[in-house]
Amino acid sequence: MDIYTKAVKPSDIEIPKNSVADPIFQTSVYSFKEIDEVDELLGGQREGYSYTRGGNPNYDGLAQFIASLENAERAVVTSSGTASLLAAILALQPKPCTIYLPREIYGGTVGICRRILGPMGYNTQWVDTHNLESLRNSLSESPSILIAESISNPLGRVSPLRDVIEVAHSAGCLVIVDNTFATPFHANPLEWGADLIVHSATKFIGGHSDVVLGLIAGSATTIRVVQEIVDVAGFTPDPFASWLALRGARTLALRMERASQNALTLASTLEGMRGVDRVYYPGLRSHPDHDIAKDLLGRGFGAIISLSLKGGYNAVQEMIHRLELVRFVPSLGDVTTTLSHPVVASHRELSEEEKQIVGIDPSIVRLSIGIETVGDIIHDFEQALS
Ligand code: PLP
């Protein structure tokens, strides 16, 4: 063989099966000798891997992890939380229908419904998931889907989701629960009757701000449909991102335990702190959904706190300048404590009027609490707000 051929010739090293850490299958495709084998793999008659858009051991490892933690029959990994939301909607209702959204929901979810699905004929309507009577009267369209968050972005609203799902189902409406904020550490919405759960694994599941990924969990039958959409539409993630996320996810329970304890301590302290107008954390008695959160969530109340500052936008900007430990990061779920500004980041999709109805204005910041020593986070806010 000449040097050009030797240089590209694959090695014949056998891949060991007993490595303690999962190997990274950073390959877009596999090689075969038998045409029939490829035919059967692509046709779904045989289990295995052929082309990575349709499956990869690293996605499957992460999918198995989330299925186990969510007590789901199966799960699928996608290229982002946003792709998961879209794939979940298309799997449940592939033809234009009505999508019901609570007012308080991640702005990107509103964006998917209005900007992608709206022109395809889907119609979006706001509903109140805190008032079951009003919800019952609103759910008049069929077919339809309700999308709710187990802990909402950004004000930590917790709807009585067991009852909400029952009301939706009795109106023939399917339910997707975005479990990104609660994570399976605090909530398993399939147990409340949700038809599908989605996660932005970019956040707490990955936990280290180094991947953008999504997850969907549900029954084997529904996930089979989701899997086909992910494959055909190409919503598949990169193997290395899945590997990184699973590596991060191994400490999810420990991180969430620590972060939600930190969040409760910090939220209580912030309530009395100079310059703070209001603190929104479902673990506080002052939160409008505290009792529902106590009933619905387990092991605490999550790691997201929102607060409004008395001095409005200027005070928020000043606080960001003065914080030394806590960084302004338009995301959440990192091992460090970060903050974001919903009106310019997560909820910029909403009109001024819609933001006002939801109750988010430029004075509001959303904190994502990390696993540091809580005294250090408190000290940073004290010195910045003083
Ligand atoms: N769901 C929630 C609650 C989110 O906060 C986000 C992003 O911030 C998403 C979904 C979308 O996730 P991704 O950014 O991974 O697409």
Side-chain angles (χ1 to χ4, degrees):
M1 270 184 235
D2 192 24
I3 185 166
Y4 299 99
T5 312
K6 282 201 275 188
V8 296
K9 190 177 178 294
S11 71
D12 55 8
I13 290 169
E14 222 169 279
I15 295 173
K17 290 215 169 78
N18 60 342
S19 69
V20 173
D22 290 340
I24 305 169
F25 290 88
Q26 193 68 27
T27 183
S28 62
V29 70
Y30 298 79
S31 69
F32 299 89
K33 281 280 185 209
E34 305 301 325
I35 298 172
D36 281 353
E37 192 183 348
V38 177
D39 190 28
E40 284 167 21
L41 283 167
L42 293 175
Q45 295 97 349
R46 188 195 271 248
E47 290 281 316
Y49 302 102
S50 55
Y51 187 56
T52 290
R53 196 184 65 231
N56 175 285
N58 294 118
Y59 318 157
D60 285 355
L62 182 59
Q64 197 181 69
F65 168 91
I66 200 67
S68 158
L69 267 65
E70 288 288 15
N71 301 322
E73 284 175 7
R74 272 190 67 189
V76 169
V77 185
T78 71
S79 53
S80 67
T82 306
S84 281
L85 278 159
L86 183 54
I89 296 168
L90 294 175
L92 293 183
Q93 297 293 5
K95 289 194 185 148
C97 72
T98 298
I99 302 178
Y100 293 109
L101 297 180
R103 286 270 179 196
E104 241 253 333
I105 194 146
Y106 167 57
T109 306
V110 183
I112 293 170
C113 296
R114 288 208 289 227
R115 288 204 256 161
I116 306 286
L117 298 172
M120 290 163 63
Y122 288 75
N123 145 49
T124 305
Q125 286 183 28
W126 297 116
V127 286
D128 184 351
T129 49
H130 287 273
N131 181 334
L132 296 177
E133 202 44 49
S134 138
L135 179 69
R136 203 170 279 122
N137 295 332
S138 305
L139 301 177
S140 55
E141 307 283 333
S142 185
S144 55
I145 301 179
L146 169 70
I147 307 176
E149 291 170 349
S150 41
I151 301 178
S152 82
N153 185 352
L155 300 179
R157 298 301 308 260
V158 181
S159 307
L161 279 183
R162 269 195 212 99
D163 301 330
V164 166
I165 293 170
E166 203 178 299
V167 167
H169 282 171
S170 57
C173 175
L174 299 171
V175 182
I176 296 171
V177 176
D178 183 333
N179 203 27
T180 299
F181 275 29
T183 82
F185 186 72
H186 295 299
N188 289 129
L190 289 175
E191 288 167 8
W192 308 334
D195 296 285
L196 280 176
I197 295 178
V198 299
H199 281 279
S200 167
T202 314
K203 316 298 182 188
F204 293 107
I205 290 184
H208 296 76
S209 301
D210 51 8
V211 292
V212 174
L213 276 182
L215 297 167
I216 312 174
S219 72
T221 320
T222 317
I223 291 298
R224 214 164 287 127
V225 182
V226 176
Q227 174 71 65
E228 195 178 350
I229 291 171
V230 170
D231 180 10
V232 175
F235 292 162
T236 20
D238 182 69
F240 183 50
S242 303
W243 184 90
L244 271 176
L246 182 55
R247 186 177 196 260
R250 296 294 180 202
T251 54
L252 177 73
L254 284 172
R255 284 186 283 109
M256 291 312 292
E257 180 187 9
R258 170 70 169 235
S260 68
Q261 282 167 0
N262 279 356
L264 184 58
T265 309
L266 179 67
S268 317
T269 315
L270 282 167
E271 260 194 326
M273 223 180 257
R274 187 178 168 184
V276 174
D277 185 32
R278 189 167 165 192
V279 180
Y280 304 81
Y281 182 65
L284 293 178
R285 266 200 220 107
S286 58
H287 192 281
D289 302 328
H290 180 60
D291 288 337
I292 301 171
K294 267 202 310 200
D295 174 45
L296 218 53
L297 307 176
R299 304 189 190 96
F301 303 90
I304 302 292
I305 303 169
S306 283
L307 52 107
S308 60
L309 292 191
K310 283 180 184 150
Y313 177 88
N314 290 340
V316 172
Q317 179 60 84
E318 185 72 22
M319 180 179 78
I320 291 170
H321 281 161
R322 290 179 186 222
L323 284 167
E324 288 164 6
L325 197 63
V326 179
R327 293 167 294 169
F328 174 22
V329 170
S331 184
L332 58 105
D334 191 66
V335 284
T336 65
T337 299
T338 62
L339 73 77
S340 184
H341 195 238
V343 292
V344 301
S346 55
H347 289 71
R348 64 180 303 117
E349 173 71 28
L350 304 187
S351 68
E352 288 313 311
E353 194 195 343
E354 285 169 339
K355 285 177 197 155
Q356 224 170 22
I357 295 170
V358 176
I360 50 170
D361 61 43
S363 74
I364 293 195
V365 286
R366 188 191 68 199
L367 313 181
S368 171
I369 311 308
I371 60 173
E372 305 95 332
T373 296
V374 70
D376 290 328
I377 313 170
I378 292 172
H379 174 73
D380 202 25
F381 280 102
E382 275 170 350
Q383 66 78 23
L385 287 165
S386 68

